[in-house]
Amino acid sequence: MAISILSCLRIFTLVMFVLEPNRVLGSRHFGFISYGDNGAGMCASTVATHGYKCQEFEVKTDDGYILSVQRIPQGRVGGGGQIRQPVLLQHGVLVDGATWLLSPPEQSLAMMLADNGFDVWISNTRGTRYSRRHVTLDARDSEYWNWSWDELIVHDLPSVIDFIFKQTGQKIHYVGHSMGTLIALASFSEGREIDKVKSAALLSPIAYLSHMTTALGEVAARAFVGEITTIFGLAEFNPKGGPVNKLLKFFCAQPGVNCYDLMTAITGKNCCLNSSTVEIFLNDEPQSTSTKNLVHLAQTVRDGILSKYDYGNNYNLEHYGETKPPKYNLGNIPRDLPLFLSYGGQDALSDSKDVETLLDYLKFHDVDKLHVQYIKNYAHADFVMATNANDLVYNQIISFFRNYA
């Protein structure tokens, strides 16, 4: 039952939250870094326990958010004296950086990278449990949650990349999963941080979401028939809060929706998950995000295009000077930027047809700089939790990064 509840929460990456969004209140943790019940940060609770050195950093964005960033500077066997290339790992929506640390060291991408000579950095998006502070706002303020993935592109990602660049003096390799791929692709299309990025590996790439093959996707589409022209509370979407249960029950009651196995219904049929890893995942996830962020993701589902947040015609005029939000043109991604894309044939979120649309935008990319991997039996969660991802995916990423050292 626990897996079903988790999976049901995944629907909110795809859905317009029209049921009382202004009632989703902020968390009680505010004004300080909350490390959970045991008081330990991610380094102490998840990394150091495996014998790795780990450092905690705070990165302040130019709009005042204070982000938690972890660094694994070397592998368990040492090697701290050598120059190691930095790699930034960026998680998806409704989770945090601990996603990269769920599996044992030999199956965890973060620890495998560290053991293979890389300097590993893990980012935590604003609003997640370790990144809930702001220079003037606290997480109870609705204004704290007034952002979507547009702001992650403009503020969070550049702030973290700039910080790593200043700390190491080197360009970074980037790894994103799900929404972590979306913000990277959109950022690269606008030329942001290109001078500080050496290469990028994108797992379950999310850019276009028109071909989701799930009953819940259809429910989400129906929920989006009406255009939103009023800005609601723009508050925190707390997956563990009461209003979510109401929304969950609403979707589960829809014809054709099977809430017994929503992990499969939403992410696709994951082939290779370990039950103990999933249990660890359920202990801490899902994480909060802003309602506005989920609205923006759902607009991508509904409209079939990749654009900035759609406020409605009048508000778009105020924000953008035109009635329609500007589009992100992925064809503008520099053709010589090394890209590694890995996607699965069973992924219900990053559907193969939508990935093909993305690849069409990249058709003029330098042939020797675009590497595409297709894994027939992989679904969305397999890329971060599969027991064989180390062999099928992570070793390929390590080789890819070494080719562009």
Side-chain angles (χ1 to χ4, degrees), residues 61-109:
T61 68
D62 57 1
D63 59 345
Y65 289 83
I66 300 173
L67 309 179
S68 173
V69 175
Q70 288 73 39
R71 182 187 193 182
I72 308 175
Q74 61 189 60
R76 282 184 289 187
V77 296
Q82 67 187 71
I83 297 177
R84 304 163 71 90
Q85 298 178 57
V87 179
L88 172 61
L89 305 182
Q90 177 60 57
H91 62 82
V93 70
L94 291 174
V95 296
D96 66 2
T99 302
W100 303 107
L101 302 165
L102 297 171
S103 301
E106 63 275 8
Q107 296 175 356
S108 159
L109 176 58

